[in-house]
Amino acid sequence: MERIGEKIKAVLFAQHHSAKWLAEQIPCERTNVYDIFKRTDINVNLLKQLCVILDYDFFADLSKEVFPQKK
């Protein structure tokens, strides 16, 4: 399983955004964003917020990892 923080980082950079940009959106300190990138788990409310900010469904990715046989 890919760490959730690595997935967030990949989506962020694929959209050509920076950690500084994400920190401004959340809002938090840039160092907190780098902490998010290292996480293996994440608070559901924060993940929901990141889904909205990045317009990406991280929950769908997690569901596919947990239930790979379902469509």
Side-chain angles (χ1 to χ4, degrees):
M1 263 212 253
E2 183 179 18
R3 290 182 1 189
I4 187 64
E6 291 174 353
K7 182 65 177 182
I8 293 165
K9 180 180 180 181
V11 169
L12 177 71
F13 292 147
Q15 294 181 5
H16 307 289
H17 294 300
S18 66
K20 180 180 183 263
W21 176 86
L22 183 56
E24 291 169 352
Q25 304 306 305
I26 292 178
C28 70
E29 296 293 322
R30 185 173 44 90
T31 55
N32 292 347
V33 171
Y34 289 112
D35 178 58
I36 290 171
F37 295 161
K38 297 176 189 173
R39 294 184 185 181
T40 56
D41 58 25
I42 191 166
N43 175 286
V44 172
N45 288 325
L46 177 56
L47 188 59
K48 183 171 74 172
Q49 187 178 11
L50 291 169
C51 288
V52 172
I53 291 168
L54 295 172
D55 191 28
Y56 187 89
D57 189 353
F58 293 104
F59 291 102
D61 287 351
L62 291 171
S63 181
K64 288 176 191 171
E65 288 180 17
V66 174
F67 304 107
Q69 69 281 3
K70 292 190 178 184
K71 293 181 179 183

